[in-house]
Amino acid sequence: MTMKKLITGIIAGFIIFASCTDDTVTISEMRCEYMESPVNIDTQHPRFTWTYQSTKGDMMQDAFRLDIATSGKALEDGIHFWTTGRVTGNTSNVVYDGTDLLEPHTKYYWKITSWYGSDQTVTSAVDSFETAIMRHSDWNGQWITDKHDKSFGPAPMFRKVFNIGKEIASAKIYISAAAYYKLYMNGEVPNSEKLDPGYTHYDKRNLYTTIDITKSLHKGENVVATVLGNGFYNEDAPVATWDFEKARWRDRAKMIMEIHVEYTDGTTMIIPTDETWKTSTGPHVYNNIYSGETYDARKEIPGWNKPGFDDGNWDNSVLAKVPSPLLVSQTMPPMRVTKEYPAVSMQAFGDTVFVFDMGINLTGVCNIKLEGEKGTKITLTHGELKKDNGRIEMRNLDIYYKPMKDIEFQTDTYFMKGEGEESFTPEFTYHGFQYVEVKSDRPVKLEKEDLTAYFIHTDVKKTGHFSCSNELLNKIWLATNQSYLCNLHSIPTDCPQREKNGWTADGHVAIDLALLNFDGIKFYEKWMDDFVDNQRPEGNISGIIPSSGWGYDDWIGPVWDAALFIIPDALERYYGDTRAIHKIYNTCVNYLDYLKNRENEEGTVTYGIGDWVYFDTQTPTEYTTTCFYYWDYVLMTHFAEITGNPAEPYKKKAEYLRNLINEKYFNPKTCLYANGSQTAQAVALALGIVPSADEVKVAENLNKMIVENNYHLDFGVLGSKYVPRMLSKYGYAETAYKMATQETEPSWGNWIKLGFTTLAETWVLSPEFRDASVNHVFLGDISAWMVNTLAGINYDYEKRGFEKIIIKPDYIKDLSWVKGEYQSVKGMIKSEWRRNGDEIKLWVTIPANTTATIYTDQIKEIGGGNHEFIFKDKL
């Protein structure tokens, strides 16, 4: 073999990690509760994180001090509300654990002082966080509704007049609704949130939102106004399968709000919701989260949300029953319109039917602009496919929909007022679609430019990117990210049209692609709260969370329920944060106690579903259930150690189950598990079940299966998660790559070849349109594989939260370049490599205050900074 050489920097044979100039270090990305300068803190133990920028890059924190004060001057003068004192180590995540309680509606200021190098110091800029309403008992507002029953269609509208007589220093609204609110302040919309607040088990927990309205108020008369939507709180008669119309929480839409005004003279005023608020109904005549919204512009009430309107004939509000014992601040990102998509084409079928193509599958609603006669009925039906004749195809989506009179699936209805150009955008629903069929009961004129789609989803911050020389993989990666965002609506959903449910396995198999691409800790911590609220007294959880009571059946089972363990573990792996584990621990204890009572004579459980939507070969579900039951105990052992609880019983049970699996399902002669499926081998390898002496042979068999199947996959959701990863882990990345880049079915590439811009629910769409959504993310972990394997960006299992980084690309022969990046909790990580003949050049960026292991033709340990490696490719 030819002697390989490593060149780092620009001088062959030398390692140059950073410039020789003096280092300049700054503290950056200061966050409280993973938010920048938040105003909505309601926990007594907020978390603080920060990163470093270093011109040399290899700076390591030796110690830090966090100081908190109640004013910027007090902080400057060293008059602290709380300080950590000097804490040795390189952690950049600390929790407030002072003895003094944080006060509500108080702004706190904080800064970091850090020691590094030869006792050098750096001090951050001053940042702040503000508390909101800290306790349920602190609320002045009361829940209000109107006099109508839950079955009454028109949406309730509310307004309140108040006067401002002095100069305002600041003003905030604290608002919750069951389910959604549309807010106006003096006739204008002061916030960007959509379908707010987030969806919960409404009888267990409600979320409130904090909105700064300082710029929306003026001296004199002011008016705050709202319209409320039903969402999952007041689902109408059975239009879908999941029993939301029977929900124990179902009631007429209601809200609670209070406005806090602080004047420049230090005095305050609070305007709470109570029975003095005025209420009526208007043009929002019907809304349903599954079907859509009906808006009658003829019923609009001019000026109702502005000062000067006479509401003398409106009713007083009615005090409503408090929906739940918990009213907590919504600290996950809200849903917003993140992008507008103009139609790319429009086909007219006469002058009453028009089909618009948005060019991409997305979730949200549309804005339509048109002119027509008063009373003209316009419907907008949203779908993912078109028929051969160009009309919209709905059979792949409405299979579970139970039609009601005048209520169609994914259809919004608008009645025109006939006053020139009109514009309509639904407020209290969302759809999954690429195509929109607009129908009118009278002739109208429409052009392509008259319809615009609004992409609505939980507005998580983008943190990852991947691209390479294979355009097919780039399109798969983009489609995966689009599918993921399309299924983010305050919970992670399976599909954004037919179900809109938080299926648990969909959540846990997608967790790596989620956290590698988006800053998701607050989003998933909220979902873990939903798991706590979902658990029944006997300990079981449902397959969809939240749930009105549907989905606790045995047919779903432990493979799905494993999200209870896998997601909190993932949050620790990516963020080094254990709060979710501490909060979920008792729920996990109760769940395992429940399963213990369900065990068979062998000491395991075998019910439920497993490798869902498999292509041809079904892996036995009793095998996959037992494997994930074992994995529950492995993770529970870790959880017990973290929380200071006895871990040994969980460890022993995990060992017992591992031995049981190997005794019952493993053939030591053939080195095959269960029925020899691709999924069976990959799951055993991924979960650490295979005896160490047999790992190589099991992996070899897995590789052989793919090769002999002409490099095609034959698995379902579990195999999609674990097969590519295990092939790469055991040296068969080339096989995984060939499988990932196939364009004939079954494959990810085939979906792209068919023109899909999101991922499908099944490898091959059913001609009978059974469960044939083309916007599911649960087969998309291949995109996380691209980042982990092709770009090689990984965390170290022993030093979680990217305190130690692993850069280990597989330098695939068919690829000439790969580029990946990830904004970790520790800072930006980049990995880019390019091939030039038999030479590979690798560029790596490692955040300050971390270390990394780099795999080229050698293994190198490095610190932070920008690094370059040149080496010969392995032939």
Side-chain angles (χ1 to χ4, degrees), residues 652-699:
K652 287 183 177 179
K653 181 65 174 183
E655 291 172 352
Y656 169 80
L657 289 168
R658 182 172 183 261
N659 291 334
L660 174 66
I661 294 167
N662 283 313
E663 290 170 4
K664 185 172 182 179
Y665 297 105
F666 181 56
N667 185 331
K669 294 182 179 179
T670 62
C671 281
L672 291 173
Y673 279 86
N675 62 338
S677 68
Q678 296 175 9
T679 294
Q681 316 321 303
V683 166
L685 288 166
L687 303 188
I689 294 169
V690 184
S692 56
D694 298 310
E695 286 185 39
V696 171
K697 183 61 178 176
V698 172

Side-chain angles (χ1 to χ4, degrees), residues 22-280:
D22 291 338
D23 194 9
T24 300
V25 174
T26 56
I27 297 172
S28 58
E29 296 180 279
M30 296 173 64
R31 298 195 292 176
C32 174
E33 279 299 298
Y34 297 96
M35 297 179 286
E36 297 177 359
S37 305
V39 297
N40 57 344
I41 299 299
D42 72 341
T43 174
Q44 285 292 344
H45 302 285
R47 295 162 289 184
F48 300 87
T49 61
W50 62 94
T51 64
Y52 292 95
Q53 300 295 320
S54 169
T55 53
K56 289 179 67 175
D58 59 350
M59 170 269 180
M60 287 294 292
Q61 172 189 289
D62 296 322
F64 75 90
R65 187 183 72 236
L66 166 66
D67 300 323
I68 302 176
T70 54
S71 72
K73 187 176 188 308
L75 192 65
E76 181 181 344
D77 293 343
I79 305 172
H80 299 144
F81 174 78
W82 181 73
T83 180
T84 60
R86 178 167 171 157
V87 179
T88 302
N90 74 326
T91 184
S92 55
N93 186 337
V94 64
V95 179
Y96 170 72
D97 62 356
T99 56
D100 293 331
L101 294 178
L102 299 174
E103 293 295 322
H105 310 294
T106 302
K107 190 171 186 177
Y108 294 89
Y109 299 80
W110 65 287
K111 67 178 181 180
I112 297 292
T113 300
S114 175
W115 289 265
Y116 66 99
S118 301
D119 216 28
Q120 300 180 75
T121 62
V122 59
T123 300
S124 72
V126 175
D127 211 318
S128 66
F129 68 95
E130 191 169 341
T131 54
I133 301 177
M134 302 292 285
R135 296 171 294 272
H136 202 298
S137 59
D138 292 337
W139 279 86
N140 293 280
Q142 301 176 79
W143 286 92
I144 60 173
T145 187
D146 64 10
K147 63 184 180 182
H148 296 291
D149 180 77
K150 61 189 176 186
S151 298
F152 187 69
M157 302 159 58
F158 300 91
R159 72 188 308 270
K160 176 69 175 180
V161 177
F162 60 96
N163 283 283
I164 298 292
K166 295 184 287 187
E167 292 294 329
I168 297 171
S170 67
K172 291 183 178 66
I173 279 181
Y174 305 96
I175 181 172
S176 180
Y180 306 131
Y181 66 85
K182 172 74 173 182
L183 176 67
Y184 299 94
M185 183 57 63
N186 293 322
E188 302 295 328
V189 178
N191 62 314
S192 59
E193 288 86 352
K194 296 290 185 181
L195 300 174
D196 198 59
Y199 170 30
T200 61
H201 295 90
Y202 291 108
D203 61 333
K204 299 291 184 67
R205 183 187 312 256
N206 295 85
L207 305 178
Y208 73 87
T209 299
T210 302
I211 302 167
D212 192 315
I213 57 165
T214 306
K215 295 181 180 180
S216 300
L217 301 184
H218 53 249
K219 280 188 177 181
E221 181 178 297
N222 292 262
V223 172
V224 58
T226 62
V227 186
L228 304 187
N230 291 322
F232 289 95
Y233 181 68
N234 184 21
E235 182 57 71
D236 204 358
V239 296
T241 299
W242 301 280
D243 295 343
F244 288 109
E245 78 282 358
K246 303 175 186 175
R248 57 188 180 271
W249 58 66
R250 188 185 171 202
D251 204 351
R252 176 73 168 161
K254 61 183 69 173
M255 64 170 283
I256 187 171
M257 180 205 294
E258 52 190 63
I259 300 174
H260 285 233
V261 179
E262 181 179 350
Y263 295 111
T264 55
D265 64 5
T267 60
T268 60
M269 179 175 68
I270 298 175
I271 301 98
T273 44
D274 56 28
E275 62 267 47
T276 66
W277 285 52
K278 293 294 187 175
T279 183
S280 186

Side-chain angles (χ1 to χ4, degrees), residues 12 48 72 111 145 304 333 361 387 446 493 542 585 615 672 697 773 806 838 858:
F48 300 87
K111 67 178 181 180
T145 187
W304 76 276
N361 207 357
K387 298 176 182 177
L446 285 176
T493 63
S542 64
Y585 185 80
F615 175 65
L672 291 173
K697 183 61 178 176
S773 156
I806 307 295
D838 63 351
Q858 303 177 26

Side-chain angles (χ1 to χ4, degrees), residues 828-840:
M828 178 61 77
I829 303 167
K830 294 183 179 180
S831 174
E832 178 180 1
W833 61 267
R834 290 181 180 271
R835 175 180 282 106
N836 183 12
D838 63 351
E839 188 176 77
I840 292 177

